[in-house]
Amino acid sequence: MKKYIKPYMIRPILYKIITKFSIGLTLCLLWDRFLNKEKLYSIWEYPFFLTGCILLSGVWFCYLKLDHFTIHHLLERKQHPSKKHHATKSMVDFADEKIISFDELTPKEQTICNLCSNLITGILFLLPALILLL
């Protein structure tokens, strides 16, 4: 997996982890506030477990997308991979390097970022749930 993650992809992965974790935590707290009125269930067990499972299913779908599993529609065209050119080796100064956002990444890199962020966030939600359920 390390060969697929480039150093410039760490920032979008962290942003996606923070966003997904805050949305998941908000949904868990809303569940605890409005649906669990009698406090029969702990917030750590059921909503965290469900959120972790949903995020880990997102990992599976990202993996399938990386494996080129698609459902082709009638008007969809297949894209052929472009030929790679050999890069010249020269000394580069990275001080004025522009920070790359998620939208500027290639579709494969975006899928890898989604896969990593879903995996890490899903594990963050699933660990406390599994510890309390066992």
Side-chain angles (χ1 to χ4, degrees), residues 72-118:
H72 295 287
H73 295 81
L74 294 175
L75 299 176
E76 187 176 296
R77 295 182 182 170
K78 291 185 179 179
Q79 296 178 354
H80 298 287
S82 61
K83 295 181 180 179
K84 295 183 180 179
H85 299 286
H86 293 284
T88 59
K89 296 181 179 180
S90 62
M91 188 178 289
V92 180
D93 183 21
F94 291 107
D96 296 326
E97 188 74 20
K98 183 179 174 257
I99 296 174
I100 297 175
S101 68
F102 181 76
D103 296 331
E104 296 172 354
L105 298 174
T106 64
K108 183 178 179 180
E109 290 172 339
Q110 288 180 354
T111 305
I112 291 171
C113 286
N114 280 329
L115 186 138
C116 293
S117 66
N118 282 340

Side-chain angles (χ1 to χ4, degrees), residues 1 4 58-72 107-109 111-112 115:
M1 185 63 140
Y4 296 115
V59 171
W60 178 249
F61 287 117
C62 288
Y63 174 75
L64 290 177
K65 190 174 181 181
L66 283 176
D67 201 28
H68 301 292
F69 179 78
T70 57
I71 299 173
H72 295 287
K108 183 178 179 180
E109 290 172 339
T111 305
I112 291 171
L115 186 138

Side-chain angles (χ1 to χ4, degrees), residues 29-43:
L29 290 173
L30 287 173
W31 175 86
D32 190 46
R33 171 78 175 169
F34 294 111
L35 296 178
N36 192 21
K37 290 192 181 237
E38 297 172 1
K39 303 293 183 203
L40 295 176
Y41 304 107
S42 170
I43 188 172

